[in-house]
Amino acid sequence: MIAAVHAVVIGALGVAGYFYLDDIDMTAEAAKHPFGWDYITLPLNDHLTPGLRTFYWVSAHLAPYDNDSTVVARLVLQTVATLLMAYLLAQLLGPGRAALLGLGVYAFSPLLVPSLLSLSSGVNLVPTHIGILLLLVMHIRYEATRQLKYAAFGALGVLLAVCFWEKAALSVALAPLLTLLYLSRGGIRARIGALFRSWLAWLIYALPILAFFVVFLTGDYASSGKTPSIGATWDLFSDAWVGSIAPAMIGGPWTWFSLDIVYYSASSPGAVAIVAGQVAALVLSVIGVRRNGWWALRAWLLPGSVLAGTAVLLAAGRFEYVGVILARNFHYLSEITIALVLAEVMLLVVPDPDAVAARGRHGLWPPEPAPAAPAAPAPAGRHAAPDDEEPDQGALPPAPAGDGVTRPVGIGLVIAVVAYALSYGATVGSFEKRWVENPIRDYMTTALRDLETNTEKGQISIFDTYVAGTVANFISTNRRTSDIFRPVEPHLPAAVRWDDATRPMYMFDQGGHLLRARFVEEATSADRPGVFCAHPLRGVGSVTVTLDKRIPHPDSFLRLDYLSQTPTTVTVQLADGARRFAPRRFAETTLTTGKYSSLMLGTPNKAYDRVVVSSTDPDAMICLAAKAGRPEPAL
């Protein structure tokens, strides 16, 4: 029921959204490459993300820019994660009310909202959750049975997680922490002994991390090489707790930080949400101590360890460029949700190691154990060593009969659930209100519709200009229309040509409309008026066609007009001063014969004042002229 309600909520919000900048860029990049090792190991900024690359390749080739299919994929994966979390909580606490409450907090945690609604985050983080949860479920099985096959399955979870998000390596520490804090009994020496007894499991879990980072360190992946300062690390740790994690515990942050051009929001709680989050954490801790003693506070080590590692990584990475806003970006905090929920629940209900082991061996409903024989009294003068004393595991005595005890607990729980639901609704509503303003949807919807309509009539040619800045900004690798719409070309009725001056030409305007276009001249090579062949190229050699004006702006086109007596392969270069460089396409091309024809040469973000055409054909006989300018919609 929890998984189904969660899927309905997130599904409705996801369908209302759309792809964002990174999604467009990575889909366009995926369409350029055949699937293989070289593609899946391409750096993504400074990350190695073979899992993410694989997802975008499949999406680009099977359902390019189909938001609904990506929403379905995310919901299926998140349902798997939710069910794994349910199983993990039932392993630790038993299949009862505590596990259900923990599962509800996990499924409806605000920390998951951006990573489910933003595709690029969801592709990273939802498989990461699955991998971490698979590790923990299998680790409990391993500790209960000592069968290495469960450790191997846990290692597969680790491999899955790091292939999508390398920071998942931090959450592998949750497995030894569970062993130390909850799956073993006794004092500190006994618990450390339990850690050492599982050394083979730690080695198996480390193998996929080692393999991953061998590839990372031997590849062309940038790293800061900067030792994080204690101050920067503390700033990130404290701000993440104060401004993100604690408010999320009460369903916050309620409000989000955003700019006009930024639609992926960061947490921006007000003073009330910040204080309420800290109070909630304090109240939860006090209740845990009253129920289970001071030792119950060990639960905070689970999210605290992952958050500390996250702060170190962020301080060593982009802190000097971005600052503490990193600590408000839920993309970096999403997987901490697992540890946070475990801590919240296990503050109140401490797992019994024997019961956990029984569920690890026999399933969630193990057979009832036989009554234990009375323990023999210890010989006189013998006392257990302090290090072997078993701390209070927090077993709760049965509640006395009577409404006086049970009713306040039930009413309080209902009030807490309703308050959390309202808080979560306010957080998601404010995020969604900003998220659906994403202008990319209107542009892409219009452009894809117009492409479909115009290609029904046959092949068309399009000026390969930059797309609107709202679709691909200056940091995008793929910014031109040929990049963005390459994924959909195989699905169109007819082929699309780019910068092909032999066909009627079109262009996209800033709203995504595909319009007939004309070429507006800004410079020309007609410096010998009245001469039939002002710039001849005969046989082997080169000819330089100089423009009467230097073209300084980068997004321009040069139209090379020619008349060739024979089919001739030529090399074309643009030039500016002593520099020569190739155009974006047609750097080497075969000129056709018969009548005057043209090449449309897009410039690669560089100024130019002439074009150089070279031939290695002794029979070449070509007349050339050139015009530089820009396209604009035809009236």
Side-chain angles (χ1 to χ4, degrees), residues 46-122:
D46 53 358
H47 299 293
L48 169 62
T49 56
L52 178 142
R53 289 288 190 189
T54 299
F55 180 94
Y56 276 103
W57 192 92
V58 172
S59 175
H61 288 80
L62 296 185
Y65 303 128
D66 182 356
N67 182 58
D68 292 349
S69 66
T70 69
V71 172
V72 170
R74 279 174 276 171
L75 291 180
V76 170
L77 292 175
Q78 184 56 39
T79 299
V80 172
T82 302
L83 297 178
L84 279 171
M85 187 66 174
Y87 195 88
L88 174 63
L89 290 167
Q91 278 183 308
L92 290 168
L93 308 172
R97 185 173 65 178
L100 283 174
L101 286 173
L103 182 63
V105 173
Y106 171 76
F108 295 99
S109 170
L111 290 171
L112 300 183
V113 171
S115 62
L116 287 173
L117 298 185
S118 169
L119 178 60
S120 58
S121 292

Side-chain angles (χ1 to χ4, degrees), residues 138-403:
M138 290 299 153
H139 178 64
I140 291 174
R141 288 251 178 135
Y142 167 77
E143 289 287 9
T145 65
R146 316 303 293 182
Q147 295 183 40
L148 288 178
K149 67 178 182 180
Y150 294 120
F153 289 142
L156 289 178
V158 175
L159 180 62
L160 172 68
V162 296
C163 280
F164 282 88
W165 186 224
E166 65 262 29
K167 198 169 78 68
L170 297 174
S171 294
V172 177
L174 294 176
L177 278 174
L178 281 178
T179 294
L180 178 68
L181 301 176
Y182 294 103
L183 304 183
S184 57
R185 286 188 178 278
I188 186 64
R189 285 194 302 190
R191 291 172 182 270
I192 292 176
L195 275 181
F196 279 106
R197 283 195 299 274
S198 297
W199 67 270
L200 191 53
W202 315 139
L203 177 62
I204 292 173
Y205 300 156
L207 288 177
I209 299 176
L210 178 63
F212 179 88
F213 282 101
V214 164
V215 176
F216 184 91
L217 294 174
T218 56
D220 187 21
Y221 305 98
S223 59
S224 70
K226 179 178 180 292
T227 302
S229 68
I230 294 176
T233 302
W234 172 250
D235 287 344
L236 285 166
F237 181 93
S238 59
D239 199 63
W241 172 261
V242 171
S244 296
I245 293 178
M249 292 175 59
I250 61 165
W254 305 337
T255 56
W256 303 84
F257 171 81
S258 64
L259 299 174
D260 288 343
I261 60 172
V262 176
Y263 295 86
Y264 182 84
S265 301
S267 171
S268 182
V272 174
I274 290 175
V275 172
Q278 312 312 309
V279 170
L282 179 61
V283 169
L284 197 63
S285 298
V286 169
I287 295 173
V289 170
R290 287 180 62 85
R291 289 171 65 101
N292 305 311
W294 288 101
W295 183 229
L297 295 179
R298 68 192 186 271
W300 289 119
L301 290 173
L302 297 174
S305 62
V306 183
L307 180 57
T310 298
V312 171
L313 286 180
L314 296 181
R318 298 180 176 86
F319 178 78
E320 62 180 313
Y321 306 108
V322 184
V324 293
I325 192 66
L326 289 167
R328 305 294 184 92
N329 188 335
F330 284 7
H331 178 84
Y332 296 108
L333 305 176
S334 173
E335 76 273 20
I336 298 176
T337 309
I338 296 170
L340 181 64
V341 170
L342 291 177
E344 291 176 285
V345 176
M346 292 193 295
L347 272 168
L348 306 180
V349 182
V350 180
D352 174 55
D354 294 334
V356 175
R359 288 188 287 267
R361 286 189 296 268
H362 305 293
L364 300 184
W365 288 271
E368 292 291 333
R382 294 283 304 278
H383 298 281
D387 279 347
D388 293 329
E389 291 179 357
E390 171 65 19
D392 178 21
Q393 295 298 320
L396 301 179
D403 292 341

